Amino acid sequence: TALRRGLERDEFRLVYQPIVDLETGRPLGVEALVRWHHPERGVVAPMTFIPLAEETGLIVPLGRWVLEEACRTGARWARGTDGQALGYLTVNISGRQLGQPDFVETVTAALAASGMPPAFLVLEITESAVVQQPELALTRLEALKALGVRLAIDDFGTGYSALSYLRQFPIDVLKIDKSFVGDVAEGGQPAALAAAIVALGDALSLRTVAEGVESAAQATVLAELGCPLAQGYHFGRPVDAATIAALLAGARAPAAGAEGEVCCAVA
Ligand code: C2E
Ligand code: MG
Ligand code: MG
């Protein structure tokens, strides 16, 4: 009930986390992440309400709002109106949303209403969403690709890791789950696993993003492994659209200092 009311009362907001080039530290894209500004409880994290929204089906209207809001904001960043233009905006999509018969129309409408170019949008889907209904997922993902939208597998390595799907599905981006990144700087098995995922991404010509990078040591090891992109507190926490806009405006006229500092300014 509170979730439904929250939607009616416009209590949801998006924050955006930079996705950076590991070589230069420059932000190339952002991921949109939803927050619930509850009148009594304050800011509620998605882990608390997304599972409930999925169970009740409220993820469908909530997810539509997320997509529309992200596209409205992303359209400015695609044009470079706020300063440095970004390359893409990623939006998380739950399995239940993907399963909606009108999901492709919802995406088409959000793109048309905002004027955001389809190639600027990356939809993040988890392995489990794909594996549960592989045939439906394949049809849907192909229709989305036909729109010109790009697709990412989120939290890779935590689900079923059905490798055959990676080849079969029209995926562009592989996001290495943060559980593989945490101990990567210590070498040994964790680093070997991360290296294997980066190599897998390479072999399938996917762009690989390491999630949850919290230290310079982790960033260095991942760059050495050949991982092209990263996201995490080390580079910048999720922040509101105005803070991202300020970051992009700052990047228009580079200030003194290393390139990476532009990005770390949002940390
Ligand atoms: P995700 O898509 O894998 O998003 C990455 C999560 O990792 C985010 O948590 C982000 O804040 C967090 N994170 C980023 N950098 C670091 C780091 O360096 N260290 C650590 N420990 N965490 C980091 P958040 O925003 O709480 O979102 C959690 C999950 O909720 C997301 O995981 C995603 O699965 C889901 N979610 C968020 N927004 C949406 C949405 O709009 N729609 C749907 N369907 N799911 C969403
Ligand atoms: Mg994600
Ligand atoms: Mg993830």
Side-chain angles (χ1 to χ4, degrees):
T1 308
L3 260 180
R4 186 171 296 116
R5 212 172 36 216
L7 256 175
E8 283 163 14
R9 293 184 184 172
D10 194 25
E11 290 171 3
F12 292 90
R13 293 289 175 271
L14 293 184
V15 286
Y16 301 86
Q17 185 176 34
I19 299 171
V20 308
D21 181 331
L22 256 176
E23 290 268 307
T24 63
R26 275 173 73 94
L28 299 185
V30 288
E31 175 173 11
L33 296 158
V34 69
R35 299 289 181 264
W36 183 7
H37 289 238
H38 191 280
E40 282 112 43
R41 291 189 213 175
V43 181
V44 185
M47 286 321 240
T48 318
F49 63 86
I50 291 282
L52 190 64
E54 278 176 12
E55 240 171 76
T56 56
L58 282 170
I59 192 70
V60 175
L62 175 61
R64 188 183 309 124
W65 177 82
V66 167
L67 201 54
E68 290 167 355
E69 174 71 8
C71 287
R72 272 192 292 272
T73 308
R76 290 206 313 268
W77 297 337
R79 285 195 295 267
T81 338
D82 286 343
Q84 180 205 309
L86 288 174
Y88 51 90
L89 166 87
T90 83
V91 176
N92 294 283
I93 301 297
S94 85
R96 184 126 181 201
Q97 279 175 278
L98 191 66
Q100 291 297 301
D102 63 352
F103 182 64
V104 179
E105 284 77 26
T106 302
V107 174
T108 310
L111 289 169
S114 63
M116 196 173 91
F120 196 76
L121 181 63
V122 181
L123 299 177
E124 296 194 4
I125 299 146
T126 57
E127 285 171 287
S128 50
V130 168
V131 176
Q132 273 157 20
Q133 290 177 288
E135 270 156 44
L136 177 70
L138 182 59
T139 315
R140 245 351 150 262
L141 298 183
E142 281 177 343
L144 290 164
K145 276 297 282 189
L147 294 180
V149 166
R150 287 182 285 168
L151 304 168
I153 292 286
D154 203 355
D155 305 340
F156 183 74
T158 58
Y160 299 82
S161 301
L163 297 181
S164 62
Y165 293 132
L166 275 187
R167 190 168 49 87
Q168 199 184 334
F169 285 38
I171 301 300
D172 307 280
V173 178
L174 202 58
K175 299 193 78 174
I176 308 179
D177 188 70
K178 46 180 171 284
S179 58
F180 297 99
V181 172
D183 300 327
V184 83
E186 281 146 45
Q189 242 180 37
L193 274 174
I197 301 178
V198 171
L200 180 69
D202 256 358
L204 296 171
S205 304
L206 304 173
R207 296 285 284 165
T208 305
V209 184
E211 293 193 282
V213 179
E214 294 182 349
S215 71
Q218 290 167 349
T220 304
V221 171
L222 287 159
E224 281 166 7
L225 294 178
C227 183
L229 301 165
Q231 184 180 352
Y233 299 162
H234 173 64
F235 298 104
R237 294 197 174 242
V239 289
D240 63 15
T243 308
I244 293 286
L247 168 77
L248 297 176
R252 179 164 37 195
E259 263 190 318
E261 283 177 26
V262 171
C263 186
C264 291
V266 291

